[in-house]
Amino acid sequence: MSEEERLSKADKTRRFIVKEAAALFNQQGYAGTSMKDIMEVTGLTKGGLYGNFKSKEEIAIASFEYAVAAVKKEVAKRTHVIENSLDKLKGVVYYYKENLFTPTIDGGCPILNTSIEADDNNPVLREKVLEALDYWQDRIVLTIKYGHERKEIKKGVDAKEFASLFISTLEGGIMMSRIYKNQTHFDVICKQLLKMIEEIRI
């Protein structure tokens, strides 16, 4: 029996709501998405939504977690089959390059989109963004340490500093290209990131 088949009717309904709402929040933001919008994309009544979630914020949080998990899964598919630490990092860059305008979740990177809006206006969502960023940084730090152990990456490389620069540069490139609706800006960033990765090679 599959995981989907093992779910109760209530769990299936919650999963459906979250899946449909994830793209909505990612494209329109928390403030720009109403319960009416969620009713329209799910085909459920207000009672149907509130029977599964206490508030719009609760749906937004679950939707963000769903969106981040979906991106993690796709990135992992690409990187888990790669042994070389430097190639793992390059795999992340290429994933975002190839999916810049065809993202896993409609609207682009959920971390970038949610962080801009939740920075000052929604402390609960902000905490969720911080959790996602911490996880991402931790994964890069582990990859750098893995590279140290395999003698692929220079010992003097500060893993946390590299992770911070890597994520900031990548997200900046995504933002520029999506705003301009042009891949050129990300291509510039892509070259810099690949160069940055090569510079830490032993």
Side-chain angles (χ1 to χ4, degrees):
M1 185 182 292
S2 69
E3 181 187 355
E4 185 68 27
E5 290 173 328
R6 287 195 296 269
L7 291 173
S8 67
K9 184 178 179 181
D11 286 337
K12 287 180 181 178
T13 301
R14 282 177 63 89
R15 178 174 285 193
F16 170 70
I17 293 169
V18 167
K19 182 179 178 181
E20 295 301 312
L24 199 61
F25 281 113
N26 203 39
Q27 292 173 300
Q28 300 180 183
Y30 180 78
T33 300
S34 66
M35 290 298 279
K36 184 179 178 182
D37 293 330
I38 301 172
M39 288 165 57
E40 288 177 358
V41 297
T42 60
L44 296 173
T45 64
K46 187 177 286 188
L49 294 180
Y50 282 116
N52 289 279
F53 294 94
K54 295 177 183 177
S55 63
K56 183 179 84 168
E57 182 178 73
E58 193 173 284
I59 299 175
I61 291 167
S63 295
F64 174 74
E65 292 175 335
Y66 168 86
V68 170
V71 174
K72 282 182 189 175
K73 183 178 179 180
E74 291 305 311
V75 173
K77 278 183 188 177
R78 181 164 198 141
T79 58
H80 280 181
V81 296
I82 301 171
E83 288 193 17
N84 184 277
S85 57
L86 296 161
D87 289 339
K88 280 181 181 288
L89 293 169
K90 288 180 180 180
V92 176
V93 177
Y94 288 130
Y95 164 80
Y96 282 98
K97 178 180 171 67
E98 293 164 13
N99 295 279
L100 187 60
F101 294 110
T102 54
T104 303
I105 302 294
D106 289 344
C109 177
I111 295 176
L112 176 63
N113 293 342
T114 307
S115 64
I116 293 170
E117 185 181 28
D119 182 25
D120 296 313
N121 299 322
N122 193 309
V124 179
L125 274 174
R126 179 176 178 273
E127 283 301 314
K128 289 297 176 180
V129 172
L130 286 172
E131 286 177 16
L133 281 171
D134 285 343
Y135 174 87
W136 195 0
Q137 289 182 87
D138 288 345
R139 294 306 304 174
I140 294 174
V141 167
L142 286 173
T143 301
I144 297 295
K145 290 180 178 178
Y146 173 73
H148 287 158
E149 292 169 4
R150 289 170 57 90
K151 295 181 170 36
E152 296 165 347
I153 293 176
K154 296 173 183 175
K155 280 291 182 184
V157 176
D158 186 310
K160 289 185 178 180
E161 185 178 294
F162 182 91
S164 179
L165 183 58
F166 182 91
I167 293 171
S168 300
T169 305
L170 183 68
E171 292 287 16
I174 293 171
M175 182 270 292
M176 288 284 285
S177 278
R178 289 191 65 86
I179 285 291
Y180 280 99
K181 299 188 184 301
N182 188 314
Q183 180 112 7
T184 304
H185 296 283
F186 190 81
D187 286 345
V188 171
I189 291 302
C190 183
K191 287 179 184 177
Q192 291 302 311
L193 285 169
L194 295 177
K195 180 182 178 183
M196 192 169 88
I197 293 168
E198 279 301 318
E199 286 174 347
I200 64 174
R201 182 187 295 274
I202 289 179

